[in-house]
RNA sequence: GCGCGCUUGGCUCAGCGGUAGAGCACCGCCUUCACACGGCGGGGGUCCUAGGUUCGAAUCCUAGAGCGCGCACCA
């Protein structure tokens, strides 16, 4: 193992990234050995970064956390399965490809194998088929991926780069479609025409997980509904008068004495004179507004609940583009006591957006006298698509769903089974699962993504027959139903009566991301790999996507494998800017990761990241990076000192050396158990504190002895102890500072430190014949510090000679001191040292005359 | 509204039942012999508040405040 050291004259950090990146790649240091059995493997489900974005310090932060664990596990002897993925699926890539190549996707077009985009995008976008569009995406993202890979390598991520995947590539599409077909066969996936949350700008359904609430101004409008039988009105408050035409009932709480007499009676809507019943439902809040509300199809998800549970009819007015659609009053479903007046009131609203329609309706209600008071402004929370600009509407459409509600208890149990780091992040998952209010809508009316592998028959009259559903054989996957043809049909029959059409939708990106373990582990494809890697060990990710990525991945494994997808979830926090706000690109904060890595060194930046504990939001702080860089520098210099002399071999016998090794053994135990518990910050903290004391106290105490001032045996003891300690410390630091540690390791050891065995306390104790006396080392350090203080107060250099020192302390501590007396005197340059009994440590000194002072 | 986290020196944080800690910043001192990309020494804190448990509380319990976050907030 140990060879004669080759220590550079002036060690430097510069250039270590390039040197070791190349060496690790050449030697295959991080290559996954797939012959190892499952319990010798540590499998990590790495988050695939979105390639159409750019990497920022937040990525550097959380990916470093993962790498710390990977490196620790590898040194512990586990074969680390650590592939990297690229997320090129979804809207951001869709937009980027459109602009870059000057194309737009038209799923109705056939695939053109010869298509090439123009060199420069034209003014008019060229329409291309979905498969052509996806080809362009893959082509563009390959370039992005190179940049990302270079940064990750420079940061020192110990990834096996021979195993990368892309979420839009064929293998991922295959897994995604296969998993869908399996769910479909078992009834866990189903299609339904139902009211769904809908973004009117993107013109697609969205899922609960993609919603966010925003505070918006609104206003209560008090409207008068005339009772159908006789005189009197019912007053209701609404924030959405523009939906009056869609009103199908009024609702109050069943216990509300004010409205109990009205249950079962009916009223007429203002303007449209539609007769609607007054019904009771416990969701109605007597405290809100007038205590009785109008139910519209559909103003919000409560309306959907009321509509479903009270079995009310549908009168939909909001269209997919967010405008009000045409209605024929008096026709079936649109009955009115005065159809002519209703039509006259409604017609001006057709084609208006909700906002414009509201102003018009208010105008009409004011004129008719049904608006009982001026609108009362309020602010309230409105649901938005997280990427959207206008409030979501609820539009009835045909969508695919995965069952979640039926599995709520099972999913909660999975959450308890999963080991969370930190533990308290489980609460977020439970909040989310308990708050689920519907099955997961997984279809999107977009172009770029994984298509549903489904075709439908076309009836003789040209209508799509959704009951006649056709799916491909599993062996055919992946397919694109917009260009592939179901068995027994020809392309000529596409869209023809008696023929077929493909399902036009694509899957939610989370529907593909949620099978990342199945993609990387070779589910249904590479059964050997699957058996060695699944269920995986660790899912690392940030806390903001617990409800999306983490939740959906747990769901998919629960449904497909009846297991967790991984045993541990390591949750990273966010990087906050110095003002404690979430760091974001829009802030104009142009700190590029590569710039930081170059300025502070990858080890320095990693040090900063490692100081951010699991789940903890952490301030962006170049000060910490500087400290990390200084630590790396110190490691170089301390190693140079320790290895700088030919070591006399010999037993470790000196009390100071034995005490050091005892403390070192304890450190190894503490760091190891901390890392096993994913407490990488604590392990670093302890190792770092030990290392600085090793440098500042221990090395100073033994410096003279190791130079041979007290004989060869004393020197051999010091040399052996400091070399063993250095070997252990370098290995303890290796996950954090992979570059400088491998550099130092290469001076005297063969092979990479990253494949070296993780140190053990047993290894350290085996080198020391007897246990060290911790008090001896402690007293040595305290006396040395007191001598330094005396020199500092006397404003003399640390090398100044002390003619005579008196050390006073308790008998027990003085006895311990005798073991370390010679080392302390050497370190303090003390000529004569006497001890006296006392009740606590006190040191007095007399300095030697300074040579030049009297001349 | 429900839940989670945080609150310790100027700053960033560790400690989580036994005499208040680190780094940075600050002040002073020290350069041939591992390191000035440095070293040594020093000053600085009623550990958010109020109760309680305990021989003993920064640490455990209860209540509250402030900050941050998650979920739900629907007429």
């Amino acid at each position: 193992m140990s060879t004669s050291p080759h220590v550079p004259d002036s060690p430097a950090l510069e250039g270590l990234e390039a040197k070791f990146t190349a060496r690790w790649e050449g030697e295959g240091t991080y290559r996954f050995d797939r012959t190892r059995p499952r319990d010798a493997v540590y499998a990590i489900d790495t988050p695939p970064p979105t390639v159409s974005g750019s990497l920022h310090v937040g990525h550097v932060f959380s990916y470093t956390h993962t790498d710390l664990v990977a490196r620790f596990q590898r040194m512990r002897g586990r074969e680390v399965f650590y592939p990297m993925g690229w997320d090129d699926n979804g809207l951001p890539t869709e937009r980027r490809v459109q602009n870059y190549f000057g194309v737009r996707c038209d799923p109705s077009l056939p695939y053109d194998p010869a298509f090439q985009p123009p060199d420069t995008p034209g003014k008019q976008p060229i329409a291309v088929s979905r498969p052509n569009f996806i080809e362009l995406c893959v082509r563009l993202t390959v370039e992005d991926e190179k940049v990302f890979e270079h940064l990750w390598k420079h940061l020192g991520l110990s990834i096996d780069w021979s195993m990368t995947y892309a979420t839009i590539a064929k293998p991922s599409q295959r897994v995604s479609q296969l998993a869908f077909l399996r769910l479909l066969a078992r009834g866990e996936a189903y299609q339904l025409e139902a009211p769904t949350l809908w973004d009117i700008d993107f013109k697609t359904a969205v899922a609960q997980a993609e919603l966010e609430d925003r505070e918006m101004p609104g206003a209560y409008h008090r409207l008068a509904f005339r009772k159908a039988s006789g005189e009197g009105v019912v007053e209701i408050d609404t924030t959405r008068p523009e939906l009056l035409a869609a009103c199908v009932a009024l609702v109050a709480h069943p216990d509300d004495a004010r409205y109990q007499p009205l249950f079962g009676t009916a009223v007429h809507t203002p303007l449209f004179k539609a007769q609607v019943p007054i019904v009771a439902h416990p969701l109605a809040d007597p405290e809100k507004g007038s205590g009785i509300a109008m139910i519209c199809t559909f103003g919000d998800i409560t309306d959907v609940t009321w509509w479903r549970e009270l079995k009310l009819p549908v009168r939909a007015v909001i269209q997919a583009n967010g405008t009000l659609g045409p209605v024929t009053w008096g026709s079936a479903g649109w009955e009115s006591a005065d159809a002519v007046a209703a039509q006259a009131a409604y017609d001006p609203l057709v084609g208006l957006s909700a906002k414009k329609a509201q102003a018009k309706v208010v105008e009409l209600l004011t004129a008719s006298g049904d608006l009982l008071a001026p609108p009362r402004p309020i602010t309230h929370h409105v649901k938005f698509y997280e990427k959207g600009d206008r409030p979501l509407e609820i539009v009835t459409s045909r969508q695919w769903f995965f069952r979640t509600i039926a599995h709520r208890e099972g999913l909660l149990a999975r959450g308890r089974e999963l080991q969370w780091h930190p533990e308290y992040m489980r609460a977020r998952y439970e909040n989310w699962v308990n708050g689920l209010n519907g099955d997961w809508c997984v279809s999107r009316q977009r172009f770029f993504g994984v298509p549903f592998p489904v075709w439908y028959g076309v009836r003789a009259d040209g209508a799509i027959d959704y009951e006649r559903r056709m799916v491909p054989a599993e062996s055919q996957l992946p397919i694109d139903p917009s260009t592939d043809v179901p068995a027994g049909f020809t392309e000529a029959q596409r869209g023809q009566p008696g023929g077929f059409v493909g399902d036009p939708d694509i899957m939610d990106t989370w529907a593909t991301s949620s099978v990342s373990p199945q993609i990387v582990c070779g589910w249904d494809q590479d059964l050997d790999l699957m058996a060695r890697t699944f269920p995986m060990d660790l899912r690392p990710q940030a806390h903001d996507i617990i409800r999306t990525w983490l939740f959906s991945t747990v769901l998919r494994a629960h449904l497909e494998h009846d297991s967790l997808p991984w045993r541990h979830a390591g949750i990273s926090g966010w990087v906050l800017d110095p003002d404690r706000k979430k760091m974001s690109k829009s802030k104009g904060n142009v700190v590029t990761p590569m710039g930081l890595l170059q300025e502070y060194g990858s080890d320095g930046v990693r040090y900063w990241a490692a100081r951010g504990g699991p789940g903890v939001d952490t301030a962006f702080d170049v000060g910490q990076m500087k400290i990390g860089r200084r630590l790396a520098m110190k490691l170089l210099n301390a190693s140079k000192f320790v290895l700088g002399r030919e070591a006399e071999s010999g037993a470790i016998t000196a009390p100071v050396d034995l005490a050091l090794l005892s403390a070192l053994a304890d450190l190894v135990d503490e760091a190891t158990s901390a890392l096993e518990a994913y407490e990488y910050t604590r392990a670093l903290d302890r190792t770092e504190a030990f290392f600085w004391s090793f440098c500042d106290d221990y090395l100073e105490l033994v410096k003279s002895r190791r130079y041979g001032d007290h004989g060869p045996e004393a020197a051999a003891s010091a040399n052996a102890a400091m070399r063993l300690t250095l070997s252990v410390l370098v290995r303890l630091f290796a996950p954090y500072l992979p570059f400088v540690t491998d550099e130092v390791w290469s001076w005297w050891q063969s092979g990479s430190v990253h494949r070296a065995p993780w140190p053990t306390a047993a290894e350290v104790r085996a080198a020391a014949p007897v246990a060290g006396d911790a008090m001896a080392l402690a007293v040595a350090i305290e006396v040395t510090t007191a001598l330094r203080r005396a020199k500092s107060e006397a404003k003399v250099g640390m090398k100044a000679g002390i003619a005579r020192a008196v050390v006073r302390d308790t008998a027990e501590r003085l006895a311990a001191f005798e073991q370390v007396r010679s080392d302390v005197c050497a370190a303090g340059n003390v000529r004569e040292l006497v001890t006296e009994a006392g009740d606590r440590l006190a040191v007095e000194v007399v300095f030697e005359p300074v040579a030049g002072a009297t001349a």
Side-chain angles (χ1 to χ4, degrees), chain A residues 641-682:
Chain A
F641 173 71
V642 169
L643 301 172
R645 292 266 174 128
E646 251 347 278
E648 283 108 303
S649 60
I652 297 171
T653 53
V656 164
D657 303 338
L658 293 170
L660 177 79
L661 295 189
S662 287
L664 181 65
D666 292 344
L667 169 71
V668 170
D669 278 338
E670 191 174 7
T672 304
S673 52
L675 277 162
E676 277 175 339
Y678 296 82
E679 290 286 345
Y680 48 81
T681 301
R682 175 196 292 263

Side-chain angles (χ1 to χ4, degrees), chain A residues 635-719:
Chain A
L635 198 52
L636 282 182
N637 286 313
S639 300
K640 181 184 169 193
F641 173 71
V642 169
L643 301 172
R645 292 266 174 128
E646 251 347 278
E648 283 108 303
S649 60
I652 297 171
T653 53
V656 164
D657 303 338
L658 293 170
L660 177 79
L661 295 189
S662 287
L664 181 65
D666 292 344
L667 169 71
V668 170
D669 278 338
E670 191 174 7
T672 304
S673 52
L675 277 162
E676 277 175 339
Y678 296 82
E679 290 286 345
Y680 48 81
T681 301
R682 175 196 292 263
L684 172 61
D685 195 59
R686 300 306 144 88
T687 303
E688 188 185 4
F690 188 99
F691 173 68
W692 282 103
S693 176
F694 171 71
C695 291
D696 295 343
D697 301 321
Y698 174 81
L699 290 182
E700 294 302 326
L701 280 169
V702 304
K703 195 173 259 181
S704 162
R705 180 153 55 86
R706 73 81 56 109
Y707 282 135
D709 297 347
H710 300 80
E713 283 177 16
S717 175
N719 272 312

Side-chain angles (χ1 to χ4, degrees), chain A residues 193-197 298 304 307 394-397 401:
Chain A
E193 182 157 12
T196 325
L197 289 161
F298 298 93
V304 177
W307 166 80
I394 291 171
V395 170
T396 297
S397 54
F401 295 86

